[in-house]
Amino acid sequence: SSFDNITQPLSIYAIYYPIVRFFNGYDNTLLDTQIVELGSNAIEPTQPTREGWTFNGWDKSLNNITQPTTINALWLANITFTDGFGETLAIRQVALGGSATAPVVPNNYRPGYTHTGWDTNFTSITGPLTVNATWQPNTYTVRFHSNDGNDLVFASRQVTYQTELGELPIPNRTGYNFLG
């Protein structure tokens, strides 16, 4: 309505629109400010990014805005599980204070080794985390057979995967020379 050339009493009412402010949710950086018609919806700004974190929506509804509103981004911490040699096995997104679920490591993932667990606790998450698999070399029993017809085991030794056997035992068989 125009306020020029007023010729009679007139009541003028102010119209207010709520302001919506979007913050990134971790260092109070303002992402966007919007003026929204009363009862209308705010428009979601471009999703923020944060290294080591996954965006997890907003802390308030963007619908039916009826008053000034501050809306903060929500984040999940990325928990990266590796094989301990640089290969990623899984990435889990976990809320602060929550716990991650470790991936299943197949028995044959690293031949000659047994997966013994993880090098870092991944409960009560406080931020992004890298968790590495831990390994122990397998131990094998090596049996030495005399091959004298009865195939008797004359010696045995426990050997760790990829280690030298060392000096080998020599069988003794009457009337024969051991060739190796």
Side-chain angles (χ1 to χ4, degrees):
S1 175
S2 173
F3 301 113
D4 295 337
N5 196 20
I6 295 175
T7 60
Q8 60 185 11
L10 179 66
S11 295
I12 300 173
Y13 299 95
I15 299 174
Y16 294 96
Y17 291 103
I19 295 174
V20 178
R21 289 184 175 90
F22 289 88
F23 289 89
N24 68 4
Y26 63 94
D27 70 359
N28 216 26
T29 298
L30 181 65
L31 300 173
D32 191 20
T33 300
Q34 297 177 20
I35 298 173
V36 180
E37 189 173 323
L38 194 66
S40 293
N41 301 337
I43 298 169
E44 183 173 5
T46 302
Q47 288 184 358
T49 59
R50 182 179 180 193
E51 189 171 339
W53 300 80
T54 298
F55 175 73
N56 192 36
W58 303 100
D59 69 344
K60 294 184 181 86
S61 172
L62 281 60
N63 299 327
N64 192 28
I65 303 296
T66 59
Q67 60 188 359
T69 305
T70 296
I71 300 177
N72 291 293
L74 298 173
W75 300 96
L76 296 174
N78 293 337
I79 311 305
T80 303
F81 289 88
T82 77
D83 64 0
F85 303 96
E87 292 296 319
T88 297
L89 300 173
I91 297 175
R92 307 282 197 242
Q93 287 80 34
V94 179
L96 293 180
S99 298
T101 302
V104 174
V105 179
N107 289 336
N108 63 349
Y109 184 86
R110 186 173 179 213
Y113 290 83
T114 299
H115 176 243
T116 57
W118 305 96
D119 70 347
T120 303
N121 183 344
F122 43 91
T123 60
S124 299
I125 297 301
T126 60
L129 183 65
T130 297
V131 180
N132 300 298
T134 56
W135 303 91
Q136 179 174 336
N138 295 337
T139 300
Y140 302 99
T141 301
V142 178
R143 293 180 183 87
F144 299 91
H145 297 263
S146 63
N147 200 22
D148 64 358
N150 295 323
D151 203 29
L152 298 175
V153 174
F154 73 92
S156 67
R157 205 178 272 166
Q158 295 293 312
V159 180
T160 302
Y161 181 70
Q162 289 189 327
T163 61
E164 297 280 330
L165 274 172
E167 192 172 315
L168 299 178
I170 298 174
N172 186 7
R173 186 171 177 196
T174 306
Y176 292 88
N177 288 331
F178 178 67
L179 297 177

